[in-house]
């Protein structure tokens, strides 16, 4: 299994809603990532988890809250979002952190979020 | 800080060769990656370089000069399906940062 699975594929939410994006991989990867991508722009790094611990937080607003419940799962909890947060949210994983990590990212298909 | 630069757009003809350049300045460096992204799809891995030199994978090759902070992706025998965005990315300790991407259009 070389897939990263993201759900839901599409999400429409109001500014007062609370929702979550989910990501799952069963490749034994211990580094997992959230990226945000706007149309015709490159992916922007949001968070990195290494061995289920948050290792990078790119000054993302607190209305985005990541969670890594175990080595296979990564969630992104959303609350009180703004219309400008509408984007494609990409989850990725890579091999075990450290010297063995080649850095190749395996991306999910993304969750397309629309905030009304 | 990190700064990764690549051309915004390029156009080439089917069957031709195209080279996409990337320059980078990063505070740490473990490798330089190239990803392909078709519109509406997730990025897919093409190649990576850790050491100076050329890495060849079929129609795609990537080159790295660490001392110059420079890489290029070479695409040979272009096909229409190669029309996509090509993202240069610098990697350092689980931190993968992307350049703005080069939108390549392949014309008949």
């Amino acid at each position: 299994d070389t897939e990263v699975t993201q759900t839901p594929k599409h999400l429409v939410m109001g500014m007062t809603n609370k929702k979550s994006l989910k990501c799952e991989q069963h490749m034994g990867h211990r580094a997992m990532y959230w990226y945000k991508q706007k149309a015709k722009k490159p992916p922007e790094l949001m968070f990195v988890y290494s061995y289920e611990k948050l290792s990078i937080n790119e000054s993302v607003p607190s209305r985005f809250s990541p969670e890594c419940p175990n080595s296979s799962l990564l969630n992104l909890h959303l609350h009180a979002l703004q219309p400008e947060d509408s984007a494609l949210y990409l989850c990725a994983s890579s091999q075990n952190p450290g010297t063995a990590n080649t850095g190749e990212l395996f991306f999910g298909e993304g969750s397309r979020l629309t905030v009304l | 800080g990190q700064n990764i630069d690549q051309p915004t757009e390029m156009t080439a003809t089917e069957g031709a060769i195209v080279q996409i350049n990337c320059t980078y300045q990063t505070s740490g460096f473990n490798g330089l990656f190239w990803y392909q992204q078709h519109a509406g799809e997730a990025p897919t891995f093409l190649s990576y370089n850790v050491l100076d030199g050329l890495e060849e994978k079929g129609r795609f090759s990537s080159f790295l000069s660490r001392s110059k902070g420079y890489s290029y992706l070479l695409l040979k025998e272009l096909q229409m399906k190669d029309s996509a965005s090509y993202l240069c990315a610098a990697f350092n300790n689980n931190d993968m940062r992307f350049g703005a991407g080069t939108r390549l259009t392949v014309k008949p």
Side-chain angles (χ1 to χ4, degrees), chain A residues 2 12-13 15-16 19 27-28 31 36 38 56 61 67 91 93-95 98 104 107 110-111 113:
Chain A
T2 58
V12 179
M13 59 187 291
M15 289 189 284
T16 59
K19 297 286 185 183
M27 294 178 279
K36 172 183 176 180
K38 303 279 269 184
I56 296 177
E67 178 196 21
C91 173
S93 69
S94 67
Q95 287 180 337
E104 179 183 348
F107 282 90
S111 293
L113 174 67

Side-chain angles (χ1 to χ4, degrees), chain B residues 37-76:
Chain B
Q37 187 174 27
H38 285 97
E41 297 181 12
T44 55
F45 169 78
L46 287 178
S47 70
Y48 87 105
N49 298 70
V50 178
L51 302 176
D52 287 359
L54 188 68
E55 294 283 341
E56 297 187 77
K57 291 180 68 175
R59 294 191 298 116
F60 298 95
S61 303
S62 58
F63 172 83
L64 176 67
S65 169
R66 292 177 68 131
S67 62
K68 295 181 179 178
Y70 168 69
S71 173
Y72 67 72
L73 179 69
L74 194 70
L75 294 82
K76 303 176 185 176

